[in-house]
Amino acid sequence: MRTLTCIHIAYAASFAAAVPQAPVDDGCASLVTGDSHVVSASRIAIDKLAEIPTVAAQNPAISNTKPLCRVVGQIPYGENNTLNFEVWLPESEGYNQRYLSVGNGGFAGTIDYQAMVSNLNAGFAVGGCDSGHSASENGPSKPGGYVPFLNSYAQTAAWIRDSIAMFSVPAIDITSSFYDCQPKKTYYSGCSTGGAQGYALAQYHPEIFDGIVAGSAGNWYTHLILSFLWNGLHANRPGAFLDQDVLNLARAAAVKHCDLNDGVADGVIDNPTECDFDIASLLCQPNQTPMQDNKTVCISEAQLSTFRSIYSGPGADVYPGFAKGSEAEWLVQEEELYTAYAVPILQNLVFTNLSYDYTTFDFERDVKLVDEIAGPLITATSPRLDAFLARGSKLIATQGWADPYNAPTWPIDQHNDAKAIYGEQQLNAFWRLFMVPGGGHCGSAASYPSAPGAWHSLEALVEWVEEGKPPDYVLATGPADGTNTTRKLCPYPSRAALLEGEDAGRFESYTCEA
């Protein structure tokens, strides 16, 4: 029996509970001969993905709740480069008639199987890729480390800018072949580097997707890494490092000072830009010791300077700083990000010198060089998305206020630039930004376990694309503390206001207002 034709899919789905599962047929295997990009295609029964070594290596507990056709493909590009991708196609009875591509994280080099299975289980035909290079060939991501893909123009351009488009076009064709019809709509969802890939799709490849979710996006990647460098260098001056106890002290003080700004005592700062907490209030007084009973109670002048440097960032023309209330998340900025991302990009891509002394980077002189060399390859920041708008496509962006990687006001700056071009009404018709109080990087922040960490952006996007209903809010659920707290995330610049007398732990108790 061949996979169901387009006209029959909706019928089959509506009676899925009553109709026995379709028998295995050759519709999957025939994809190998039907597309030059397909290397293999095989049926995978329910809960059998974990038996595939490459999939299990990423997550041994991975579980598919639907049977599927697993397609493995390759796309040659440039000179001797290969992009590896997979497409997972649920049996027709479990297919929602939509195709979704997922993005990558960090320096990529692997397919995000967890994102794929989550969306497969929700009914999507879903595809993912390794972004055009293999993580096993990335090389050591540290000072002096040779990172091969950053020494290849084609692979660097594929990483953020082009790889999703490169594989998604054939992946959509494969999906159409399997079901004997085009998906009714095509979507993309990614976070972090994947969020940057989402913006790159809207800017450079606007013809592919009906809807894009771009979460915690590092789309100003050239300047994002410079913020890493700025923060790392300032924190590692003599006596200036902020250990976790110091960071926790600052975060607790900021929250105590600004928690009630929104009228809700929930241990979360709703809008940190309106928080007037002064870090200097924690400065040690003369003869005061910074530690009492093994707890930090005040900070030194050198630490005060580090706090101010991270709050301010390297400057408005380079990258903004971090928000009040996010301090407990900063350790990764001080210890890891500048050596793992900024330095490899500077040494391999910008200066092409593995001995380049990154401590000599001149934020007045060298930023222009970074923009000229790396900008066209790894940055997608244009606020003008005319072709994406003309196609009728929609974009939802999300950003956590306590994101430990991305300074949170950059997406606001970009959104305001777009509003200056399109006006508020036209911008809201195709591009909406949702800021997340207490939100971290692509989910929960460790210091805000009570804040909901699952943001239902894709569900809101599907409704917007298919029913023409702009999202008045995005539902947030699933706090890390295991409670049932839910919240409304409101489209910027509106915010959630608690209705008088209502339960602060339920999203229905809030209204979005300017």
Side-chain angles (χ1 to χ4, degrees):
M1 178 181 174
R2 187 72 171 91
T3 48
L4 298 181
T5 59
C6 188
I7 196 170
H8 293 135
I9 289 175
Y11 176 88
S14 65
F15 289 94
V19 177
Q21 181 178 309
V24 173
D25 57 66
D26 64 354
C28 180
S30 67
L31 293 174
V32 177
T33 57
D35 192 297
S36 61
H37 299 108
V38 176
V39 174
S40 66
S42 55
R43 298 276 179 175
I44 307 295
I46 291 174
D47 207 24
K48 294 297 182 180
L49 276 173
E51 296 181 3
I52 302 171
T54 54
V55 177
Q58 193 177 107
N59 178 11
I62 196 166
S63 176
N64 57 300
T65 61
K66 300 180 186 299
L68 67 133
C69 172
R70 179 198 180 209
V71 179
V72 176
Q74 291 185 335
I75 299 173
Y77 71 99
E79 295 184 7
N80 301 316
N81 301 313
T82 301
L83 180 148
N84 295 287
F85 72 96
E86 295 194 20
V87 185
W88 294 355
L89 304 159
E91 294 288 355
S92 295
E93 289 79 1
Y95 176 46
N96 65 16
Q97 301 184 64
R98 305 177 180 102
Y99 171 82
L100 173 78
S101 284
V102 301
N104 302 102
F107 277 164
T110 59
I111 298 170
D112 190 343
Y113 291 127
Q114 188 56 52
M116 287 187 67
V117 78
S118 296
N119 289 291
L120 170 91
N121 291 342
F124 289 89
V126 59
C129 75
D130 65 0
S131 84
H133 66 271
S134 173
S136 63
E137 300 172 359
N138 272 0
S141 184
K142 63 181 183 180
Y146 179 73
V147 183
F149 90 90
L150 291 173
N151 287 272
S152 163
Y153 181 96
Q155 289 186 16
T156 303
W159 169 38
I160 290 174
R161 195 185 72 189
D162 297 330
S163 61
I164 303 300
M166 288 164 60
F167 95 86
S168 292
V169 173
I172 293 167
D173 288 342
I174 289 167
T175 301
S176 302
S177 251
F178 183 71
Y179 297 111
D180 283 337
C181 68
Q182 291 280 339
K184 66 180 180 181
K185 295 294 178 183
T186 57
Y187 297 92
Y188 169 81
S189 180
C191 195
S192 191
T193 292
Q197 290 168 325
Y199 277 107
L201 287 164
Q203 180 176 335
Y204 294 108
H205 311 283
E207 71 283 355
I208 299 175
F209 292 101
D210 297 298
I212 291 173
V213 171
S216 304
N219 59 316
W220 201 6
Y221 215 99
T222 46
H223 286 216
L224 174 65
I225 63 159
L226 296 183
S227 77
F228 295 165
L229 183 65
W230 173 271
N231 295 332
L233 291 179
H234 279 80
N236 284 280
R237 294 170 300 166
F241 191 82
L242 310 175
D243 64 27
Q244 192 62 58
D245 204 36
V246 171
L247 296 172
N248 291 344
L249 172 71
R251 181 260 182 197
V255 171
K256 181 178 180 180
H257 190 83
C258 297
D259 180 15
L260 287 175
N261 282 5
D262 63 345
V264 182
D266 56 359
V268 176
I269 301 174
D270 178 69
N271 182 4
T273 64
E274 297 180 352
C275 177
D276 62 356
F277 168 69
D278 184 359
I279 188 64
S281 65
L282 299 181
L283 190 63
C284 293
Q285 299 303 305
N287 302 318
Q288 182 182 15
T289 58
M291 297 288 292
Q292 294 180 10
D293 299 325
N294 294 320
K295 288 187 63 177
T296 300
V297 295
C298 63
I299 63 176
S300 69
E301 287 281 1
Q303 290 172 326
L304 175 63
S305 177
T306 300
F307 273 111
R308 285 175 168 166
S309 295
I310 297 178
Y311 285 138
S312 68
D317 292 336
V318 183
Y319 212 73
F322 280 73
K324 305 289 178 63
S326 69
E327 298 87 353
E329 306 294 322
W330 292 358
L331 203 60
V332 68
Q333 290 283 337
E334 301 182 87
E335 293 184 335
E336 300 175 26
L337 297 179
Y338 74 112
T339 55
Y341 290 95
V343 176
I345 288 175
L346 292 175
Q347 291 182 337
N348 285 268
L349 177 60
V350 178
F351 294 100
T352 60
N353 176 7
L354 298 184
S355 299
Y356 167 72
D357 182 359
Y358 58 90
T359 66
T360 66
F361 187 87
D362 188 328
F363 281 85
E364 295 293 330
R365 183 193 66 218
D366 294 338
V367 174
K368 182 179 179 181
L369 182 65
V370 175
D371 287 338
E372 289 174 351
I373 295 174
L377 300 176
I378 65 174
T379 286
T381 59
S382 175
R384 183 172 285 284
L385 302 177
D386 291 352
F388 188 75
L389 168 62
R391 187 185 185 278
S393 300
K394 313 298 182 187
L395 171 63
I396 287 179
T398 57
Q399 175 62 54
W401 279 112
D403 188 328
Y405 292 79
N406 299 1
T409 59
W410 154 241
I412 292 175
D413 294 341
Q414 184 186 25
H415 205 69
N416 286 335
D417 288 344
K419 184 164 67 175
I421 294 170
Y422 295 107
E424 187 169 6
Q425 183 175 356
Q426 188 176 39
L427 181 64
N428 284 337
F430 82 101
W431 179 356
R432 296 198 174 192
L433 168 65
F434 296 84
M435 301 299 293
V436 187
H441 192 67
C442 305
S444 295
S447 56
Y448 290 97
S450 64
W455 314 328
H456 297 262
S457 310
L458 183 57
E459 293 91 329
L461 180 67
V462 168
E463 190 173 54
W464 193 8
V465 168
E466 298 181 15
E467 299 178 24
K469 181 181 178 183
D472 295 326
Y473 67 90
V474 164
L475 176 64
T477 64
D481 64 7
T483 61
N484 294 321
T485 299
T486 58
R487 286 292 173 86
K488 283 182 178 177
L489 306 179
C490 298
Y492 177 81
S494 64
R495 64 188 64 184
L498 182 65
L499 298 170
E500 186 175 353
E502 295 295 327
D503 179 0
R506 299 174 64 248
F507 79 94
E508 299 96 335
S509 301
Y510 294 83
T511 183
C512 290
E513 61 181 34

